Amino acid sequence: MQNVNESLWPLKQVLIMGVEENIENIANILRLHSIRSTTKAGSGHPTSCLSSAEIIATLFFSVINVDPKHIDYLDNDEFVLSKGHAAPILYAALAEIGVFPREKLMTLRQFDSELEGHPVPRVKGIRVATGSLGQGLSIGLGMAYAKRLLGIDRRVYVLLGDGEVAEGSVWEALNLAGKLRLSNLVAILDMNRLGQSEPTMFQWNWEEYANRVKAFGWNVTVCNGHDVKDLMRAFNEAKNSDKPFFIIAKTVKGKGVSFLEDAEDRHGRALSKEELSRAEKEILPKIKDAVFEPRNFIEAKIPIEPRRKYSIKTEYKMGEMVATREAFGKALVKLGEQNEKMVVLDGDVKNSTFTIYFFEKFPKRSLQCYIAEQNMVGVAVGLQTQGFDVFLSSFACFLSRAYDQIRMASFSRANLKIAGSHAGVSIGEDGPSQMGLEDLALFRAVFGSVVLYPCDAVSAEKLTCAMANYEGISYIRTTRPKTPVIYDNSEEFHIGGSKVLRCSGNDEVTVIAAGITVHEALKAYEKLRAEGINIRVIDCYSVKPLDIETLVKAAEETKHIITVEDHYPEGGLGEAVASLGLRPNILAVRKMPHSGKPEELLAEQGIDAAGIVSKVKELIRKYHPLRTFS
Amino acid sequence: MQNVNESLWPLKQVLIMGVEENIENIANILRLHSIRSTTKAGSGHPTSCLSSAEIIATLFFSVINVDPKHIDYLDNDEFVLSKGHAAPILYAALAEIGVFPREKLMTLRQFDSELEGHPVPRVKGIRVATGSLGQGLSIGLGMAYAKRLLGIDRRVYVLLGDGEVAEGSVWEALNLAGKLRLSNLVAILDMNRLGQSEPTMFQWNWEEYANRVKAFGWNVTVCNGHDVKDLMRAFNEAKNSDKPFFIIAKTVKGKGVSFLEDAEDRHGRALSKEELSRAEKEILPKIKDAVFEPRNFIEAKIPIEPRRKYSIKTEYKMGEMVATREAFGKALVKLGEQNEKMVVLDGDVKNSTFTIYFFEKFPKRSLQCYIAEQNMVGVAVGLQTQGFDVFLSSFACFLSRAYDQIRMASFSRANLKIAGSHAGVSIGEDGPSQMGLEDLALFRAVFGSVVLYPCDAVSAEKLTCAMANYEGISYIRTTRPKTPVIYDNSEEFHIGGSKVLRCSGNDEVTVIAAGITVHEALKAYEKLRAEGINIRVIDCYSVKPLDIETLVKAAEETKHIITVEDHYPEGGLGEAVASLGLRPNILAVRKMPHSGKPEELLAEQGIDAAGIVSKVKELIRKYHPLRTFS
């Protein structure tokens, strides 16, 4: 521990105390940092920090095996602050163990400080973003599973608020961790009784939590969250547990400041300067300027390795009928052979998304997440913090279940490779509940994302490889029905690319398609050509980023642009192209989707070859009313 | 029960049997329908139907109080098929109780049949769409809560699959139903051991489910799901329960057809014609053409009332500083006074979204859903099926948690009024985890949705009223900081409208704004005007549908269009305008968002007045390179 900085508080004593007294002392130092930094910022959640002061102090100064100098190494214990609004006290703990200078704490929430209102991995010692509640335990599960895969004997500690335990995602994580018997995962519930707007569902009725969590396959203990000795007892039990371990810590929101203790209507409110002054008068007398050598600090030795570069070769025959979802599955196996740190997750649809090929080939690096998409994404975020390349898959529409987790993953600067199958009405008879019709909109709206949509097996495999090499959040959209291979195995595909499939000196209209509609556009080309009309056909397989140059050139060279997509018009391919200022005529899914044969549904929505032909003729007629077609 | 149709099976006997024998007979009739209709369709989930045959037969012919002639009336018991892929057997049961002709069953999954692959309320007797797993119990909870509010002593039965119980949303629903002690809610778990791709987490280990569900505050029983007598015992227990009741029915997937029983790799596969013929040989001998008078049928008497029409008056002073989220909260109270069947739900943020005003005024019609957004949306869907007008609110970003439920609500043809607060970077210090930056994209991509985004208190209240009157899914986006009132109380606002706030004969650029950026555009107008540049300013408060006429006119009358939004560029206001072919210059959130003061963040993203001014000048200079500004 650094010596207490004079500028921050006036007391000066050097005492030798016992471990518990030292940790109590540190808890109050963390309290002081939390209320001072939030008052300086003029906002924040001081009372949520105060309830967890002893928990955090005990963890960082006695329990967690951590190397403050190499806190990003893999052989540290991990800590996830699921109740992200208590960020100030986490920052305070990181400063006190020496990860960054204590002075930085007072920059909390400022425009140019990395100490944001809720944790983000810009801060040294923090691996993931939290602040949308109920996500931390899934991430911790992923980290704990990663340590197990890596053979690193370290634990993962996740601090939960009691309000967030209402989130189903917490129970998804409890469920899978119990099933996997992840004994290196420890959750601590800061049971401070009060939510944001009123008391929590169960207030201090700890048995409600204990019964639930036990039933989910965890060992559970209860302790006084302000009694360091009791906390240390609980953490010792955790270390000897043969299952994941859950500590219910009974706490008081606002603990340590009399007028904040258990006070309703103090959530998310900083203290006024006058209140701060009163609060300091209560806390300062408890603080001693002590020298303390924590015994939990270690020398970490395992850095995260640089990421592997993948390559891929395909062996398809032109015209062969292969579903892109299956090609994706085949690619996973080829990529998995190149990197032992590539893992694949699936939510009980591996035989539809074709991750089953990977599951069968690499069972140890495959994780069945069952039908729990939120947890699956959280687990993936946790895994990638430990240097794994993670692919995860489900039906495109069911990934929408985890959108909040995916959104948060972008603030975690996570490296996630997501595959959504069963895109669009072309799935056919199963009907709209199973159709991905908004996934392009959703994934395009993820900060920094890449969105890919191959139309054949060759491009599907090569784009899967491009995702593997990309660092960030990438998404591949695959199709249920089989489609013909249209590319030679030597073709290359890259993020931000496109392919001009048909082109002549006198193209009247450009048709920009992706995925299943590429094949409809090619059929339309043949029909129109037979009538003496030339169209340009572009396979816009990179929906984000777009191949701007090729699209702008086509717009300059042909009078009209049509986009055609098996997706709602909002936020899809058409709007992406429109955002370039290219005025596309957007063909998309505009009628209430329902069951039927794929070809019937494509026709009904006007996104099949006939729909394209009809639109092309309509556009030409607009400018040449008298023109007839052969 | 209708007499068995000769064309469907050959046996002809009239026997008087006991109730149980009759129900067993019906179960086999339902089996026959399920395998025949799926084989005819060439797809579907026959084995998932077969496991629930006795459960469904017992429910529809002995347990559920239902009036087949008025199955849409409120004083029926309700049934929700959460495992929506078993749709064929639900359709079969509805046909057998006489809701529609049995012949229709063979149109399953056809293009022009309402008997879709998964249930939708196009089918008489079905109130909601299911098929995305884990959503039915929340909907059932909403229905049961509605019956309680209405004082109607009827029960709600929800049939769950065992795979879907991994979804956290199921536990959110179990949790709230337990807390509310909804004794009129009964869940039945069809524990058939097999998921889609492999066995479920707990297979036939019923204690894993029983322990969990008991801990969540439910009464639980276990029964043999193929033994009608045991099922009837379980349902009788349910009727006497003082808590919500959970029946674990041990079943066999594929039951009744020897080569399908407990067979893996038969999920979601119809029988071939040859297989069907073999299966029929096993089932037909068990079927008797019996006349049976079920005793559970009732005469329902309470139709759903026509919806109420709302109106609203505001009393603000021009220039008064009021947050749109607070105006929304005030409007809710005014609307609530006009209709006793208006209810409001919130997820522990009522003091931030300002639904707290409604909660305080109408506590009985307010439901605290705690931090569990998925369940909140499901509950809302359930409530609206019983004739309630339902508003629900959370932070815009946290609504993304429930996107799968919202997407499914569109297929339920639900009438939902959703409010998302804390839109954009303008929330400031709390940082990106709390910022709604993709909500316009998400809600625009909901089929048939309306998306509203008011900039001041007057328009916020009036648009809240417009939502109340709209039937479908509508969304209002509100802002955290206070903004000045710019509209007179006499102004009217409607879905699909906009307001031209500044307009002259020589506007050089049109600025299309919404919400917080309207105020930035007005400031930019003043600055530019002082330099001799006129711009048109449009408040585009209806983001979907857009006021096409006004926007197109502005594009014709001014050289350039700028859109400015506190949202990512993908799927937002700018792309919506671009989709009209108007070539806007899109100002939006393009840099990684973080903490800071609202004005610093708006400036950083170039979406404040200075950013607009700068863009206007850049556009003008493009065409007049030598022009200088005063």
Side-chain angles (χ1 to χ4, degrees), chain B residues 263-302:
Chain B
E264 297 197 24
D265 202 28
R266 286 298 316 211
H267 181 94
R269 277 176 56 198
L271 284 71
S272 68
K273 281 184 188 165
E274 183 274 325
E275 288 172 330
L276 175 63
S277 157
R278 279 199 284 148
E280 285 188 347
K281 279 185 194 127
E282 296 188 23
I283 295 175
L284 278 171
K286 298 181 198 161
I287 294 178
K288 299 178 181 68
D289 195 359
V291 177
F292 170 52
E293 293 292 336
R295 298 198 198 147
N296 55 311
F297 291 180
I298 55 161
E299 271 187 44
K301 287 172 183 164
I302 311 176

